[in-house]
Amino acid sequence: MLKLHYNLEKVSMGLVGAIIAVASVGGIVEIAPLFTIEETVEIPDDMRPHTPLELAGREIYVREGCYVCHSQMVRSLADELDRYGPYSLAAESAYDHPMLWGSKRTGPDLARLGEKYSDDWHVAHLIDPRAVIPVSIMPAYPWLTRPLDTALIEDNLAALARLGVPYDEAMITNAEADALAQSRPDSEGADGVRARYGEDVAVRAFDGDAGRLTEMDALVAYLQSLGTLTDAPQKMFAEEAQ
Amino acid sequence: MAMIGTLTTKERQIGMGLSAILLVLGLAMAGVARQGPMALHGAIAMILGLALVFMLGGSLYDQSEPSASRLTRYYDAPTRFGIVMTLIWAVVGMAVGVWLAALMYWPEATPPWPATSYGRLRPVHTSGVIFGFGGNALIATSFYVLQRTSRARLVDAVSPWFVLIGFNLFCVWAATGYVMGQTQSKEYAEPEWYADLWLVVVWVTYFVLYIRTLARRAEPHIYVANWYYMAFILVVAMLHIVNNLALPVTLGSGESFTIWSGVQDAMIQWWYGHNAVAFFLTAGFLGMLYYFLPVRAQRPIWSYRLSILSFWGIVFFYMWAGSHHLHYTALPYWVQTLGMTFSIMLLVPSWASAGNAIATLNGAWHKVRDDATLRFMFVAAVFYGLSTFEGSFMAIRPVNSLSHYTDWTVGHVHSGTLGWVAMIVFGAIYSLVPKLWCRDDMAWPKAVEWHFWLAITGTLIYVVSLWNAGITQGLMWRAYDEGGALSYSFIESVEAMLPYYAARTLGGGLFLAGALLCALNCRATMRAAGDRVDESDRPLATQPAE
């Protein structure tokens, strides 16, 4: 070994080749199988992708760096199951480019947040967290009441479809209209959203004002969708409990 | 500009050509994007290109050629520039860090506009210190060390400037992008696709410069510091490219989606993230340690064998360890177990390096006592040993169940970055600045001592307060009362953090004060630059034998 290195350190390109070869092994062994084994590629039948409005909310979640303080990954530990709910499955983030599992919980985990609180609660909390939870240290996001820019929504869906997220032609071409309609329950487009994304999709004026499509609509729609894209974890949890 | 004076007319012309290309590239970017961060980034590139064209163009007539004898000397002007950038980024990056630490204690102080929100500033802190401060220090010292240990001048005078200026453009794009809300959200790989592509070009140039200079070495053996710098350059390229593969939404939007999703993305992200720690924040700085510590102590490296063992151990083992960031998650169990196993084995090469560095100081302990610069390097080696031990410990699954997601992790990272990375950089800077600005010593030698004590006190306060914070948090989350219900709501654990967050702000503030002192001290030293040139500091020419 030492003799081998002694000779190697006299040949610069030899050293380069050896570093690349030795450094590649770990990644290849750990990463390559993840693209083939059932545990990581199986997707439940009822799994749906995010609606255009939720996706726009996800972009805002990323833009504001929410993932810096909130994880979206319930670990398989007793206290986490009691605090948050069923542990997260690989399939739940299968359509997430990128995943938002997070690495720090300055605030609580959000993987099971969907429909836990009312829309009004979220709106009030995002505008001024301390109005709802006096000792919260979350920053306020008062600017989220501005109008949502939907110019890129169609392109976003198209790009994700190219990466394998199951958005069909109709979903892509109607993306902008669907984003608006999901926040207007009484509009004609609302049925279209349900037809394309499923009856369980929440169609509401998330920010309390159906007249305006705001960033708040998008973000709250996204937060309310967390953990609701499939029932698989709840079903598995119920089966295990029996 | 003195820097341009080191270039020949031909080199200035090439530089002008490259600057013109940058100008056009920036114009194209701004034109395609029209609005948003990408347009601003195009404008920044344009202005930089334009400024460089004028500076170089003006000098074509004004300044005389450097003397031909320059080729018998080392080329240190890029290193001087790199050190200045290191100091600027240190102050910026650490100041943002302290401000963010204060906001966690005092969130009401957050200004009501988007650009300065916590979530947007946090990557400014991490990228600012890792890439801005750490990256510039690595590039600047690597040029210096490469030349001395190879006894060869840098192979050309243009590419080192391209690497440094290009890298800093990347850093500026990154920081300005974040405050405008532009991010890929991948931790420590947040910049968007065009910035990532730009970094690849810069990095390939860096590698070519490095390997070509190495090929000219007048030493048959490549010195250990260069193994590490090379591993840093090569593996960071590999990690950067794989983790940042992304599909732009449209060419002009400056937004993209990573091609990876879900659990595969998580694994690739932490394969990247942990090895950014290994090859950006460890390998390169070990290169620094292996050169500056023995030189300052005037002692040879204690063990050649140990340095071989630790080098290949680090290159091989680290790449497996990333999955310890994903214990108990949806990542398959066997991958977590592999990550844990290799993380524990990593302790062997890590302690081999730390031990080798400390044993090198045998016979020079009086210098450690008297010389604050050498003491910076000694403390760096000690913190390297401590943090790698802590890291292996935290990778053990049950320990991780407590520590993960808490401030313990943040404390651990800072024991590495403040205690090890920043300390070795300061040691290298205090060694280099007097030498490169032709003086016997720093302008304010006593300030180095002050800086040392500010840095060590700050680090200890920071790390100890976040140990307490993290362990308290982890225990509160998992505490059950007698009835079998969770004892604490989440917000109670947040409330319990406040004293620790206050203490860590103080610790960070002390560390920042030290860094500021260092920057001022260096500025004073540079302004009082001497003209004494060390004639012995040049590639050894073949000597006639009598």
Side-chain angles (χ1 to χ4, degrees), chain A residues 1-2 5-6 8-13 15-20 22-27 29-31 33-35 37 39-41 55 59 62-69 71 73-80 82-84 88-90 93-109 130 133 135-143 146 152 155-160 162-163, chain B residues 104 107-108 110 112-114 117-120 122 181 183-187 190 207 211 214 217 220-222 227 230-231 234-235 238 247 249-250 253 255 257-271 304-305 308 311-312 315-316 319-320 323 326-335 338-339 400-401 404-407 410 473 476-478 480 486 488-491 494-495 498 501:
Chain A
M1 265 299 281
L2 293 176
H5 176 93
Y6 181 83
L8 195 62
E9 71 172 29
K10 289 186 271 189
V11 191
S12 53
M13 284 314 277
L15 202 53
V16 167
I19 290 171
I20 293 175
V22 170
S24 303
V25 183
V29 173
E30 291 187 350
I31 296 169
L34 300 181
F35 290 92
I37 55 179
E39 188 184 349
T40 49
V41 297
L55 190 68
E59 298 285 295
V62 166
R63 182 188 78 195
E64 302 300 343
C66 304
Y67 63 89
V68 165
C69 295
S71 59
M73 171 49 63
V74 181
R75 296 180 295 173
S76 50
L77 298 169
D79 58 292
E80 302 214 352
D82 287 340
R83 190 180 296 278
Y84 301 114
S88 300
L89 302 180
S93 49
Y95 301 146
D96 285 357
H97 296 263
M99 56 83 207
L100 294 172
W101 294 9
S103 60
K104 177 80 197 333
R105 284 182 187 155
T106 304
D109 187 274
R130 276 158 294 284
I133 300 166
V135 291
S136 168
I137 59 169
M138 189 170 112
Y141 295 90
W143 57 88
R146 67 192 177 190
L152 270 180
D155 292 319
N156 279 338
L157 261 73
L160 284 171
R162 284 183 64 190
L163 293 171
Chain B
M104 294 182 76
E108 297 89 345
T110 313
W113 45 78
S117 182
Y118 181 96
R120 296 192 187 194
R122 193 261 194 177
T183 170
Q184 294 191 112
S185 91
K186 283 176 161 271
E187 285 184 75
E190 293 94 344
F207 172 69
I211 203 80
L214 209 51
R217 71 190 181 278
H221 288 270
I222 299 172
W227 314 343
M230 256 163 49
L234 289 167
V235 182
M238 191 159 106
L247 180 67
V249 173
T250 62
S253 69
E255 284 175 35
F257 290 108
T258 171
I259 69 163
W260 314 115
S261 72
V263 61
Q264 294 88 355
D265 183 41
M267 183 60 223
I268 289 168
Q269 162 58 27
W270 289 111
W271 167 78
Y304 169 64
R305 290 181 177 204
I308 296 175
F311 176 73
W312 290 108
V315 173
F316 185 67
M319 302 302 278
W320 298 74
S323 52
L326 301 168
H327 279 321
Y328 301 98
T329 67
L331 183 76
Y333 197 72
W334 61 269
V335 189
L338 272 178
N400 193 271
S401 76
H404 196 56
Y405 295 130
T406 72
D407 279 294
V410 183
Q473 224 169 1
M476 284 178 86
W477 291 346
R478 62 165 58 169
Y480 282 92
L486 291 167
Y488 302 101
S489 66
F490 193 91
I491 193 69
V494 174
E495 248 187 308
L498 293 182
Y501 286 165

Side-chain angles (χ1 to χ4, degrees), chain B residues 391-540:
Chain B
S392 295
F393 181 63
M394 290 167 80
I396 299 170
R397 202 181 262 118
V399 180
N400 193 271
S401 76
L402 180 81
S403 74
H404 196 56
Y405 295 130
T406 72
D407 279 294
W408 187 356
T409 310
V410 183
H412 165 63
V413 169
H414 282 83
S415 107
T417 48
L418 302 179
W420 149 234
V421 171
M423 296 281 188
I424 189 67
V425 172
F426 291 134
I429 284 179
Y430 286 128
S431 303
L432 275 182
V433 167
K435 218 169 157 48
L436 292 175
W437 273 270
C438 308
R439 288 176 50 104
D440 292 322
D441 204 350
M442 295 296 293
W444 313 328
K446 279 198 178 143
V448 181
E449 194 71 44
W450 274 95
H451 179 192
F452 175 81
W453 291 107
L454 281 171
I456 191 110
T457 317
T459 306
L460 287 174
I461 293 177
Y462 190 107
V463 173
V464 171
S465 56
L466 286 197
W467 274 339
N468 284 291
I471 293 170
T472 306
Q473 224 169 1
L475 290 175
M476 284 178 86
W477 291 346
R478 62 165 58 169
Y480 282 92
D481 60 23
E482 284 146 15
L486 291 167
S487 301
Y488 302 101
S489 66
F490 193 91
I491 193 69
E492 286 175 299
S493 76
V494 174
E495 248 187 308
M497 291 304 101
L498 293 182
Y500 305 117
Y501 286 165
R504 77 100 88 94
T505 311
L506 174 72
L510 292 177
F511 200 90
L512 170 68
L516 202 60
L517 194 59
C518 173
L520 293 174
N521 196 357
C522 289
R523 184 160 163 268
T525 311
M526 291 166 189
R527 291 206 157 177
D531 48 11
R532 177 191 55 81
V533 175
D534 181 5
E535 284 302 326
S536 68
D537 189 23
R538 59 168 66 211
L540 210 60

Side-chain angles (χ1 to χ4, degrees), chain B residues 18-31:
Chain B
L18 288 170
S19 310
I21 293 174
L22 179 65
L23 198 158
V24 174
L25 236 139
L27 191 68
M29 262 173 72

